[in-house]
Amino acid sequence: MHRTAYLLLADGRFPSGGHAHSSGLEAAVAAGRVTDLPGLEAFLHGRLSYAAPVTAAFTAATHLSAARMGRAPCSTHSDVKVPFLSLDRELEARTVSPALRLASRRQGRALLRAGRNTWPSEVYGHLPKHADGPHQPLALGVTAAAAGLSTEEAAQVAAYGVLTGPASAAVRLLGLDPYQVQNLLARMAGVCDEIAAAAAAVAHKSPQELPAHAAPLADISAELHATWEVRLFAS
Amino acid sequence: MRALARIVAEADGRGGTRLARLRGEPPLQLRHTPDGSAAATVHLIGSAAGPLGGDDLRIEIEVGEGASLCVRSVAASIALPGRDGAPSRTTVVATVAAGGELRWLPEQLVAAAGCRHQATSTVELAGGGRLVWREELICGRHDEQPGDAVVSTSVDYDGAPLLRQSLTIGPGTPGWDGPAVLGGARATGSLLLVDPAAAPAPPAMLGATAVRMPLTGPATLVSATAPDAHTLRGFLGA
């Protein structure tokens, strides 16, 4: 069991820079699409149904490859790198917005830095190199493996992050009552658990077969948000 | 109903395109509709309502080296529920050889109340192949809630993934019409342009809910939501 490591990685205070991103909520608030708690609930349901299955499945699949690499002799590592490259390309093809690709890689780079310093491992070095950093789910999967978590736990941390990131941004953007927001998160916990379990269950599949859910407004508002001169959140 | 339609387009050696194969079966009928250009244009004609629950329709397209094919449809297709609640399925599988071009520009897919429809398209482009691919999804007929529909598009260019997207709408998916996904829009769609000879266009807003985005690879995607089919087409003209 690695209960404390699990909590450390899921904790919003883990220094991975996630608090700088609203996952599209800032743009949705500016467009008047989210104005209150019921609006936030509908937004979070959309994030859980569309973004979370992709993020959690790519995290879980990366974790599975990284965990296998951790157990294999060094001589076979070049074979195990192939799934990382394929996961990177498949996730890139699922992230049609350049602003979201950059946000994912910037978050991945920040997470990688935190992960490397927290749970040192040689596995991080096998992630595909990219000037803006690795995609966040790949960085999370590798970090979860280095921390000794299970594939299910890795998927759970990913889905939990998709749910709680915009929720804490909502408190700042809309001035919502933090107790009511926590109550909303508690009510959505069961859905989040189910999505994490479903993602862990597909982690062994080929990267091409992993979920590819698209949410049109996520892409559209990410591009609009990127054109703003003044904004509170990076995405 | 199960049906298979097959189109094979080849360069005719005189700068034009000939249809080496053009075969449909009800309810997927095909008509060659020459328009005087070097490209071959084929219209899909639905000879029955639907797709209806239980239908399994498949379209196979092959565009050879240097050939140019445009596929359109004469009317929107309306996914309708079957009697026993069985899902309906439409599968399109296309390959485009080097120097070939496929323009896939059908009319809209309307997800009618109670439907359970899955539309899956897989396109493999050889290096140097070109593609124009439009998908438009309308959530329900006039003033009705849609059923459940999934439109999945997978495009590979030169052996590498270029686009993977799967849009799910309908009451079976929490949040589908909410502020993170469609924001109450009744129409949504995308237009993919793959042209290895042109640099991908930089990102640009085309409207409050329409955007043009360069992909990683020789491609640009326009994605939009709109209150109705007509407004949507304004963003996705090709």
Side-chain angles (χ1 to χ4, degrees):
Chain A
M1 293 300 283
H2 301 273
R3 284 181 189 156
T4 302
Y6 181 34
L7 292 171
L8 277 174
L9 183 55
D11 196 326
R13 287 165 293 190
F14 190 72
S16 59
H19 63 276
H21 295 264
S22 79
S23 305
L25 186 71
E26 185 171 28
V29 167
R33 288 197 298 271
V34 178
T35 56
D36 53 13
L37 196 71
L40 177 63
E41 181 168 1
F43 184 89
L44 293 179
H45 271 298
R47 294 297 296 169
L48 274 186
S49 295
Y50 292 77
V54 180
T55 299
F58 275 81
T59 301
T62 304
H63 173 278
L64 202 57
S65 293
R68 280 182 190 148
M69 191 181 283
R71 287 191 298 269
C74 286
S75 57
T76 62
H77 281 188
S78 57
D79 302 336
V80 200
K81 275 165 82 167
V82 175
F84 285 171
L85 189 59
S86 175
L87 285 162
D88 176 77
R89 285 181 171 176
E90 289 287 343
L91 189 54
E92 186 86 358
R94 284 160 173 76
T95 317
V96 297
S97 150
L100 289 184
R101 289 198 291 272
L102 185 62
S104 171
R105 290 189 181 280
R106 291 257 168 92
Q107 289 182 82
R109 185 165 63 189
L111 175 58
L112 197 62
R113 189 179 303 134
R116 274 192 155 128
N117 283 285
T118 312
W119 296 285
S121 162
E122 61 165 50
V123 181
Y124 299 105
H126 296 298
L127 283 173
K129 300 286 180 285
H130 189 284
D132 296 317
H135 276 300
Q136 194 269 352
L138 272 74
L140 183 55
V142 170
T143 304
L149 307 193
S150 68
T151 301
E152 290 73 19
E153 288 166 336
Q156 186 83 43
V157 172
Y160 175 77
V162 170
L163 180 64
T164 56
S168 51
V171 175
R172 290 167 69 188
L173 287 166
L174 292 166
L176 297 179
D177 176 355
Y179 295 114
Q180 288 191 346
V181 172
Q182 289 302 313
N183 171 266
L184 171 61
L185 292 177
R187 284 189 281 115
M188 297 182 75
V191 182
C192 186
D193 290 348
E194 282 170 23
I195 282 164
V202 298
H204 64 281
K205 292 193 173 187
S206 87
Q208 185 169 353
E209 293 173 73
L210 296 180
H213 301 297
L217 282 181
D219 301 322
I220 294 163
S221 52
E223 290 303 315
L224 181 61
H225 187 263
T227 65
W228 295 2
E229 285 183 11
V230 179
R231 52 191 189 229
L232 199 53
F233 291 91
S235 75
Chain B
M1 253 183 197
R2 292 175 71 90
L4 171 68
R6 191 163 153 71
I7 311 169
V8 178
E10 294 174 349
D12 65 4
R14 302 187 303 273
T17 297
R18 69 182 187 94
L19 296 171
R21 189 113 199 246
L22 186 68
R23 179 186 166 276
E25 59 188 6
L28 286 176
Q29 304 287 11
L30 303 172
R31 291 285 179 277
H32 184 197
T33 47
D35 60 359
S37 76
T41 299
V42 170
H43 272 84
L44 283 162
I45 302 166
S47 58
L52 276 173
D55 284 0
D56 188 355
L57 312 177
R58 184 178 169 92
I59 302 170
E60 297 175 356
I61 301 170
E62 210 179 303
V63 179
E65 217 163 294
S68 182
L69 173 69
C70 179
V71 182
R72 296 180 178 274
S73 63
V74 293
S77 51
I78 302 174
L80 293 160
R83 229 179 261 174
D84 56 359
S88 52
R89 195 162 56 186
T90 307
T91 307
V92 182
V93 179
T95 59
V96 180
E101 180 186 52
L102 172 62
R103 296 165 62 82
W104 172 259
L105 299 167
E107 294 304 304
Q108 302 83 359
L109 170 66
V110 181
C115 76
R116 285 178 59 202
H117 185 65
Q118 166 101 41
T120 307
S121 304
T122 309
V123 185
E124 280 182 29
L125 295 165
R130 295 188 305 282
L131 181 70
V132 177
W133 190 272
R134 183 167 63 203
E135 307 266 13
E136 293 170 314
L137 178 60
I138 312 301
C139 305
R141 290 166 296 192
H142 182 67
D143 221 10
E144 79 176 357
Q145 285 297 310
D148 290 305
V150 183
V151 178
S152 297
T153 311
S154 171
V155 181
D156 277 25
Y157 179 81
D158 200 12
L162 179 67
L163 175 68
R164 304 271 188 266
Q165 66 173 11
S166 176
L167 177 62
T168 305
I169 61 136
T173 308
W176 73 273
D177 62 349
V181 185
L182 289 182
R186 310 305 297 172
T188 184
S190 62
L191 176 73
L192 173 68
L193 305 161
V194 184
D195 184 355
M205 296 304 298
L206 308 178
T209 58
V211 66
R212 184 185 73 199
M213 300 168 288
L215 301 183
T216 302
T220 303
L221 185 78
V222 177
S223 178
T225 66
D228 55 64
H230 178 75
T231 312
L232 181 68
R233 181 63 61 87
F235 295 124
L236 305 179

